[in-house]
Amino acid sequence: MPEALAAGLGAPEDLAGLAATVRAAAGRGVALRVRGAGSWWPDGDAGSVLSTQHLDTISEFNPADLVVTVGAGVPLDTLGAALRSRGVFLALDPPGRPSRTVGGVLATGGSGPLAAQYGTARDQVLGLVVVAGNGTVVRLGGRVVKNVAGFDLAKLVIGGHGAFGVIAEAHLRLRAIPAADRTVGWSGSADWAARAAAAVLGSGAAPAALEVVSPELSAALGAGREWMLAARSMGGPAAVDEELSLVERAAAGRPAGGGIAADGDAPWAAWRRAVGDWPVLLRIGADPAAWAEALALARRHLGDALGASVTVPRGTVRVGAARCGADAVRELRDAAAARGWPVTLERADAATRAAAGIWGALPEGAERLARELRARFDPNGTLAAPLFT
């Protein structure tokens, strides 16, 4: 509520309260830092905290329609349990604690290995209700699959870290829980992992997840300390067995060393915990055939890493570090930009975010458009997320 700004904390109970709080902050020249569960950023930016934790209602849920409407403050684990009880799931598996909120995950653009088949966070959203920086309520998209009006702006809000508006509500696409869900991992050298991943891509196999993980992360997943290629298949039992057999044949069998074989989500829950524990997390949008080069580039500029994970079909490279200076991020971005690869500072301390920018420099046209949209929806700079340098 507006009066809570005096105490530096606002936790509105509903959409109207959220809009009123943002409007009051804009009128007083108060910068707001939007917070969901408060578990993702290791520390705070300047400004008053605006919490969405009380926007925690699950509404308009009809499993037959494969659509659910949820408040931004609903934790992912709470939503997941409600969906599972009705035979459906949300194909969104970002790193971090299961208590991360829907709004927080969408604002940071969080996705995980399931993006290989189901797409990123943007692909799970049919529409959003957003409060702009001037307190105006903006409705983007809709509740049904065929309604895509205004969806491009919704895609900008997702991953915009609150710079284009506070997410209040989301209309999400669901999937039916498959009869079988199995993961197999094969371990070997880094060179083997690169060759095996390329062979799987060329085989026609399309598992729900196909991830290459570094030895540090492989150990956290319960396998040996070698590089691992992990495939997750979801569907009918016969189809799952057939797909994993195709992946194994393409990867030239099971190399010597450790690996994993498990039913269900357990290995990927371990992945989310481990990657979510990295104090610094950078995401490179490389080409699927060039992820090994992107990973080498990251390590050259960032030094020793806590781990790395590659969503092979998308070319998404995640690298974790204990600390990272803004200069190193900028140098990595410059080198990656020459190859057409964006580098997102997905997680870091406030000083590094402010100095390096979460997005960094974008291509000239894209950055100009983003700045123009920020000026339109947040003319007073109330939502001061440090996207650019």
Side-chain angles (χ1 to χ4, degrees), residues 57-367:
T57 300
I58 300 174
S59 60
E60 307 239 3
F61 178 28
N62 186 340
D65 294 336
L66 295 179
V67 177
V68 67
T69 298
V70 301
V74 174
L76 283 182
D77 53 357
T78 299
L79 177 59
L83 297 180
R84 284 192 301 273
S85 70
R86 304 294 296 276
V88 293
F89 76 105
L90 175 66
L92 189 58
D93 57 341
R97 299 177 187 174
S99 59
R100 290 188 70 185
T101 62
V102 169
V105 169
L106 296 182
T108 57
S111 301
L114 285 178
Q117 182 175 96
Y118 297 106
T120 65
R122 292 183 175 95
D123 299 297
Q124 315 312 318
V125 177
L126 300 169
L128 294 173
V129 177
V130 176
V131 175
N134 58 7
T136 301
V137 175
V138 183
R139 300 181 185 275
L140 307 170
R143 286 188 174 87
V144 294
V145 175
K146 65 181 180 181
N147 187 347
V148 294
F151 196 62
D152 284 347
L153 185 54
K155 287 185 177 182
L156 188 63
V157 171
I158 300 165
H161 294 261
F164 302 96
V166 183
I167 297 173
E169 188 176 69
H171 313 305
L172 303 172
R173 182 195 308 268
L174 305 176
R175 272 85 176 178
I177 293 176
D181 177 358
R182 188 161 182 253
T183 296
V184 179
W186 302 270
S187 297
S189 68
D191 288 343
W192 167 82
R195 292 194 306 271
V200 173
L201 285 182
S203 73
L210 184 67
E211 201 81 6
V212 168
V213 300
S214 68
E216 305 91 343
L217 187 53
S218 180
L221 269 58
R225 292 189 64 87
E226 292 185 284
W227 287 86
M228 183 169 65
L229 175 68
R232 180 180 191 177
S233 184
M234 304 170 74
V240 165
D241 289 344
E242 181 179 353
E243 184 163 59
L244 290 176
S245 294
L246 176 60
V247 173
E248 184 170 13
R249 290 195 299 272
R254 187 186 186 94
I260 56 172
D263 292 319
D265 185 57
W268 304 101
W271 181 94
R272 295 191 291 273
R273 286 193 301 271
V275 176
D277 282 343
W278 294 341
V280 177
L281 176 60
L282 292 102
R283 185 177 70 239
I284 306 173
D287 304 313
W291 61 263
E293 181 186 352
L295 181 56
L297 194 69
R299 295 205 168 195
R300 184 155 63 246
H301 288 279
L302 303 178
D304 293 336
L306 295 178
S309 190
V310 181
T311 302
V312 177
R314 301 189 67 89
T316 303
V317 177
R318 292 179 178 86
V319 179
R323 63 187 63 85
C324 181
D327 288 343
V329 176
R330 285 191 286 264
E331 291 168 2
L332 172 59
R333 280 182 170 144
D334 288 343
R339 297 160 173 82
W341 301 336
V343 178
T344 301
L345 189 58
E346 195 165 357
R347 193 181 198 201
D349 62 88
T352 303
R353 298 199 302 275
I358 295 169
W359 289 357
L362 297 178
E364 182 179 351
E367 183 168 334

